[in-house]
Amino acid sequence: MGKLIDMIRQDVRFGDSLKACMNCGVCTAICPAAEFYDYDPRRICDTVQRGDEDEIERLLTSDTIWYCGQCLSCKTRCPRGNVAGELIQVLRSVAQKMGYYRSSEKGRQQEQLMKGIGQNILEIGYCVHPDRVDPAYHPEQGPVWEWYHDHIADVAPRLGANYHGDGAGALRNIAQEDLDEVRRIFEVTGGMELRNYVLPTEEKDNE
Amino acid sequence: MKRYWNEYQKEIADDHFFYERSCIRQTFFAGSETTFLRILREELDKDICDNPHQHTCTGIGYHSDVVPFETTMTVVARLFSLMTECGYKNFVPSCVTSFGVFTEMMAKWEENPALKEQARQYLWEACKREFEVPENIVHSSDIIFKFREELKPKMRYQLVNRFTGRPLRVVEHIGCHYAKIFPHHGVGKAEFPYVLAGMIESWGGEVVDYPERRHCCGFGFRQYLVQENRGYSIANTKKKFESMEPYEPDFILTNCPGCAMFLDKWQYTIAEMEHKTYDQAGYGIPVLTYEELTGLLLGYDPWEMGMQLHQVQVDRLLDKIGVAYKPEEKYLGVGGKLLPTPLKPEILKQ
Ligand code: SF4
Ligand code: SF4
């Protein structure tokens, strides 16, 4: 494995994400993650720009890179055309390839995300689907969601949805031939490799 | 104030659209997608394809870092290939996250043709498919914006408070990925987006400006999807509510399905956690999708559009607009089937 900074630079998104940061802090000023967490996109850009391997390794093994909410508000405002949120995507990708995500509490949450969203995509062809928004795990969704979740087979057709039906329409079952093509894309492009690496072992054993 | 949005208007195709459904909108606002197609076909007499072979763009997984760039790029290529196969050139995503993903891939291909070639190779290897890049890509809200004046004479109601005769005061919230990533893809660009404000003004309402108008709704992908992180999400949404509260908006209008869901559900959560609501009467501020708003003004049944699925109830807003609706039909199932009604929250009035 080469140097971390080389791996970062090899990502096709890197060139767009970091041109030349002048450390002005505008991105940090508008960043919702910076308001909530001890997080500073300006410092992330600065660390990567300096290219110090030890510092980059510390960053990739920390919680810090997992704080960004991917709103990309930073893209609009950076006077140099940098995109801190896109640089974060690159860093997270390297942290996963190197296994560094396992060193931090926030990084290890990737397993949950892979088990949820990652598996939804491959199994049903949706990132999110009402069957998989369980009220027990989503108390913030409130009692109306619980009602819909319990009665969706009766309510969805009234909304013109094709819930678990074949053919077109909202909430239809996605045909096996289409799911197979999506899975093939994951196999050919590295999606399955990442999934197999990050998915918790017990989930793989269940298959 | 100078109206900067006038200086920039993007191109929005006139007809023959390929619709890409949204996982989040189908999950929380399935009736909004039905309404959008109905408006296009029945009111505007447009041709729009609802292809059965479509699937997620993977956008939520991409921004949660469980799907690599190359995979999302090739899934996008497959969706474009469905469009190509059916003979369409105008691509219309329902989801704002998807809109951001599609425009991102198109921008990357434009500046790096070798990457587009790689997408072609991947897609061929995986699916034996070929694709063309759309000639026109717009978010579905752009189409309603474009035809807002054409829809107006067909509308039964206006955004006017029938008790006071005054325009309804509306807060609009644009999904971050609509114009913050690629400002030239948004009507009015990122700083003065006009896509929803234009609808509100055309249909008789008053757009309320407030300090945190451009702040993110708080979704944050992994910051909501992982239960332990949800403090981020609710804290950012709360910041918006606190900022809009003094302006006493009648409702919030959104073009992103995720934002609509969070702005609705977090009002319930905040009420239950802190006994706080952001309207004086304790009912919360209703949140509408732009499809629901357009359908309502056209006289569509609110319950057939799924407006009973909001946690902040819309009934008082319907009364203000003067919409004729049947309260007794709100919680019926298909074919008039009687269903139990949802439990009531403790604090948020229903
Ligand atoms: S994308 Fe991330 S770094 Fe950029 S403003 Fe949003 S939360 Fe902050
Ligand atoms: S706004 Fe741009 S130039 Fe300024 S600190 Fe952030 S990334 Fe660097």
Side-chain angles (χ1 to χ4, degrees):
Chain A
M1 203 60 78
K3 283 166 65 179
L4 292 172
I5 190 66
D6 294 333
M7 287 180 76
I8 291 168
R9 287 194 183 123
Q10 273 158 20
D11 190 299
V12 285
R13 292 167 291 191
F14 177 74
D16 285 333
S17 70
L18 189 61
K19 289 146 191 156
C21 171
M22 61 179 175
N23 256 293
C24 66
V26 167
C27 51
T28 305
I30 49 103
C31 172
E35 280 190 49
F36 187 73
Y37 288 123
D38 180 13
Y39 172 76
D40 183 346
R42 178 194 62 82
R43 287 185 58 192
I44 304 226
C45 293
D46 197 38
T47 303
V48 176
Q49 190 163 261
R50 278 207 303 272
D52 180 288
E53 281 291 299
D54 293 340
E55 254 189 280
I56 292 176
E57 187 176 328
R58 263 197 301 283
L59 181 63
L60 295 181
T61 50
S62 71
D63 278 332
T64 311
I65 56 166
W66 304 102
Y67 288 148
C68 162
Q70 289 289 294
C71 65
L72 296 167
S73 306
C74 46
K75 165 140 201 209
T76 319
R77 294 286 171 81
C78 173
R80 287 284 176 85
N82 301 323
V83 193
E86 195 175 16
L87 182 60
I88 284 288
Q89 288 182 296
V90 175
L91 297 176
R92 288 175 177 177
S93 166
V94 174
Q96 291 189 112
K97 280 188 188 139
M98 295 296 292
Y100 289 163
Y101 71 101
R102 296 198 188 108
S103 305
S104 70
E105 188 188 328
K106 295 283 178 195
R108 285 190 295 274
Q109 293 172 342
Q110 285 309 101
E111 296 184 2
Q112 273 190 63
L113 289 160
M114 189 60 87
K115 197 171 126 182
I117 305 296
Q119 290 290 80
N120 289 352
I121 294 171
L122 289 166
E123 288 170 5
I124 56 172
Y126 292 83
C127 281
V128 182
H129 185 280
D131 293 354
R132 297 189 177 207
V133 184
D134 180 354
Y137 186 68
H138 290 276
E140 79 291 344
Q141 287 288 333
V144 171
W145 176 257
E146 203 170 340
W147 176 83
Y148 184 49
H149 196 263
D150 289 349
H151 300 289
I152 185 164
D154 289 314
V155 179
R158 201 178 165 198
L159 316 180
N162 184 17
Y163 178 67
H164 284 314
D166 296 328
L171 300 175
R172 75 221 173 276
N173 282 343
I174 290 172
Q176 193 56 49
E177 65 196 87
D178 298 311
L179 289 175
D180 290 345
E181 285 196 23
V182 172
R183 186 171 278 262
R184 279 286 299 147
I185 290 173
F186 271 69
E187 284 164 359
V188 166
T189 57
M192 204 53 95
E193 199 183 330
L194 176 68
R195 177 252 188 208
N196 290 340
Y197 187 56
V198 173
L199 194 69
T201 317
E202 66 273 15
E203 290 297 313
K204 279 178 260 183
D205 292 346
N206 287 340
E207 288 182 353
Chain B
M1 189 177 91
K2 192 168 176 233
R3 311 196 91 170
Y4 290 90
W5 59 266
N6 274 333
E7 293 170 7
Y8 179 79
Q9 294 296 320
K10 73 174 187 181
E11 196 190 328
I12 302 167
D14 203 52
D15 201 352
H16 308 298
F17 305 105
F18 184 93
Y19 191 44
E20 162 65 6
R21 287 182 178 272
S22 151
C23 303
I24 300 199
R25 207 181 294 278
Q26 290 175 87
T27 296
F28 297 102
F29 306 100
S32 286
E33 292 203 343
T34 308
T35 302
F36 178 75
L37 292 175
R38 179 176 169 193
I39 293 167
L40 258 76
R41 288 171 179 156
E42 294 179 18
E43 311 291 344
L44 296 168
D45 199 23
K46 301 295 176 191
D47 162 41
I48 181 159
C49 172
D50 178 20
N51 187 295
H53 298 290
Q54 59 175 294
H55 43 72
T56 175
C57 75
T58 74
I60 308 282
Y62 174 59
H63 286 292
S64 304
D65 311 281
V66 294
V67 181
F69 173 86
E70 290 75 11
T71 306
T72 296
M73 173 176 87
T74 312
V75 168
V76 164
R78 183 186 192 264
L79 290 164
F80 286 166
S81 87
L82 295 176
M83 174 197 78
T84 307
E85 195 176 74
C86 308
Y88 288 82
K89 293 175 176 165
N90 304 320
F91 199 81
V92 185
S94 162
C95 182
V96 167
T97 299
S98 305
F99 182 66
V101 165
F102 292 121
T103 48
E104 177 183 346
M105 296 309 160
M106 286 167 64
K108 295 264 190 272
W109 291 341
E110 177 111 20
E111 65 193 44
N112 183 354
L115 195 62
K116 186 161 144 195
E117 202 39 51
Q118 191 185 41
R120 290 198 188 287
Q121 284 172 13
Y122 280 147
L123 186 68
W124 183 258
E125 189 183 340
C127 310
K128 298 281 175 290
R129 286 179 169 276
E130 292 176 313
F131 70 95
E132 295 300 326
V133 173
E135 278 177 13
N136 186 251
I137 180 157
V138 296
H139 183 252
S140 47
S141 59
D142 292 327
I143 299 179
I144 301 293
F145 169 83
K146 177 176 172 118
F147 295 110
R148 68 198 186 283
E149 288 298 330
E150 206 173 318
L151 288 166
K152 197 168 156 183
K154 298 171 191 276
M155 288 181 164
R156 278 175 65 182
Y157 309 105
Q158 281 202 313
L159 284 175
V160 173
N161 184 326
R162 78 175 166 128
F163 303 116
T164 64
R166 301 191 48 157
L168 289 176
R169 296 165 57 72
V170 192
V171 155
E172 49 86 279
H173 175 81
I174 310 279
C176 287
H177 292 194
Y178 171 74
K180 284 181 182 174
I181 312 182
F182 299 105
H184 65 283
H185 276 298
V187 173
K189 294 193 176 174
E191 304 290 356
F192 295 90
Y194 192 61
V195 60
L196 297 176
M199 294 179 207
I200 297 163
E201 286 179 358
S202 286
W203 301 338
E206 183 187 324
V207 179
V208 179
D209 203 0
Y210 69 106
E212 296 299 345
R213 186 170 171 184
R214 299 286 158 248
H215 194 73
C216 170
C217 77
F219 175 21
F221 298 91
R222 71 190 325 278
Q223 316 304 348
Y224 169 76
L225 296 165
V226 177
Q227 195 168 15
E228 300 89 285
N229 299 346
R230 283 181 197 153
Y232 170 111
S233 184
I234 194 168
N236 277 298
T237 318
K238 186 176 175 194
K239 180 174 168 163
K240 287 189 75 83
F241 293 141
E242 282 174 354
S243 173
M244 70 177 75
E245 183 182 13
Y247 302 88
E248 299 184 4
D250 290 296
F251 69 96
I252 302 168
L253 183 65
T254 66
N255 69 340
C256 175
C259 305
M261 185 272 278
F262 288 112
L263 291 164
D264 179 45
K265 301 296 171 50
W266 284 138
Q267 287 191 71
Y268 154 77
T269 314
I270 292 169
E272 301 306 296
M273 286 171 73
E274 300 190 335
H275 293 204
K276 168 74 189 161
T277 59
Y278 294 94
D279 68 321
Q280 293 192 349
Y283 290 87
I285 310 167
V287 188
L288 270 59
T289 68
Y290 69 91
E291 298 101 322
E292 289 170 342
L293 175 66
T294 316
L296 261 192
L297 300 184
L298 287 165
Y300 295 4
D301 184 326
W303 316 141
E304 303 289 323
M305 290 195 289
M307 295 181 79
Q308 67 277 43
L309 301 186
H310 299 206
Q311 187 62 61
V312 175
Q313 303 300 306
V314 298
D315 308 46
R316 288 156 47 93
L317 175 66
L318 303 184
D319 293 339
K320 270 190 213 170
I321 301 175
V323 171
Y325 67 99
K326 296 192 174 130
E328 67 279 11
E329 293 185 0
K330 186 169 179 180
Y331 296 114
L332 295 181
V334 68
K337 182 175 174 183
L338 279 175
L339 300 172
T341 54
L343 295 173
K344 291 210 188 312
E346 278 183 30
I347 306 297
L348 188 72
K349 290 188 194 164
Q350 299 289 288

